[in-house]
Amino acid sequence: EVGDNISGIDCSSGCCDMVNEPLIFEDTQAPTFVSPPASVTLNCYLLIDTMQPLTWNDNCMGTGTVDGVETGSATLCEGGTITRTWTFTDICDNTAEHVQTITVNVLPVVNWVNPPDDITIVCDSIPTAADSLAYTNDSSGPCLISGKVAGTLTGTANLCGGVLTNMWSFTDTCGRVITHSRTITVEPTPLPEWQNPPINIV
């Protein structure tokens, strides 16, 4: 058997044939990475983590870390794809490779929160200014865009009626513009009526 001590073999009771065979030991087992990151799709560029070294384990060399290589590109307003590759080769030329693909979406678009519809009012409810209107892109963390913007009020209206217009506009980080307008129709004051008008008499 391989590994037996030949000095302990007793050939006195029989013949012993000794054969020398060269033994070649090869390491064909590739290293493995510890907890390599999975491919992900992110809501925006601001959620990309900094690339970190990966820990490897090898049956002959023990353990260690290796830096990765990043290719591709992504931006806040255009999104993109980034590929991260970690490679480690042990002393026996066994190689481990891990590839992570990071798909980055375009920064979510902003929308108005409960934008008001066109209305018709009477003259004693004529507004003198436009209310602020809220906006959000319904994201979270660093990808969130939200707030309020003041509106403008144009047009004329008085006791005889008229038309007013509210206008809101917002431009986000990527230069994308959203607008909303509301038409306010003012009804004229109702005609007056006589109180207890006298009837014809003889």
Side-chain angles (χ1 to χ4, degrees), residues 93-106:
D93 289 331
N94 299 306
T95 299
E97 181 181 83
H98 178 70
V99 178
Q100 180 195 33
T101 301
I102 303 173
T103 303
V104 183
N105 293 331
V106 176

Side-chain angles (χ1 to χ4, degrees), residues 38-191:
S39 296
V40 293
T41 298
L42 303 178
N43 217 21
C44 78
Y45 175 79
L46 298 176
L47 295 176
I48 300 177
D49 292 331
T50 302
M51 190 176 187
Q52 301 294 332
L54 280 188
T55 300
W56 52 261
N57 285 330
D58 185 68
N59 60 327
C60 289
M61 296 181 61
T63 187
T65 60
V66 63
D67 292 327
V69 176
E70 186 172 279
T71 58
S73 62
T75 63
L76 186 67
C77 300
E78 296 181 1
T81 301
I82 293 175
T83 301
R84 293 174 172 175
T85 304
W86 293 264
T87 304
F88 174 73
T89 302
D90 67 13
I91 58 175
C92 297
D93 289 331
N94 299 306
T95 299
E97 181 181 83
H98 178 70
V99 178
Q100 180 195 33
T101 301
I102 303 173
T103 303
V104 183
N105 293 331
V106 176
L107 182 69
V109 177
V110 170
N111 291 301
W112 299 112
V113 179
N114 298 323
D117 296 325
D118 295 345
I119 57 172
T120 298
I121 61 175
V122 293
C123 65
D124 59 356
S125 301
I126 298 175
T128 57
D131 295 331
S132 294
L133 188 56
Y135 58 84
T136 182
N137 67 347
D138 293 320
S139 193
S140 61
C143 300
L144 173 65
I145 300 177
S146 64
K148 289 185 176 182
V149 62
T152 60
L153 180 66
T154 59
T156 58
N158 51 34
L159 293 177
C160 299
V163 176
L164 303 173
T165 301
N166 288 149
M167 177 65 74
W168 295 268
S169 178
F170 174 75
T171 303
D172 72 4
T173 306
C174 297
R176 297 172 297 190
V177 180
I178 60 171
T179 60
H180 180 69
S181 63
R182 175 178 70 164
T183 299
I184 303 173
T185 302
V186 180
E187 294 183 337
T189 302
L191 289 172

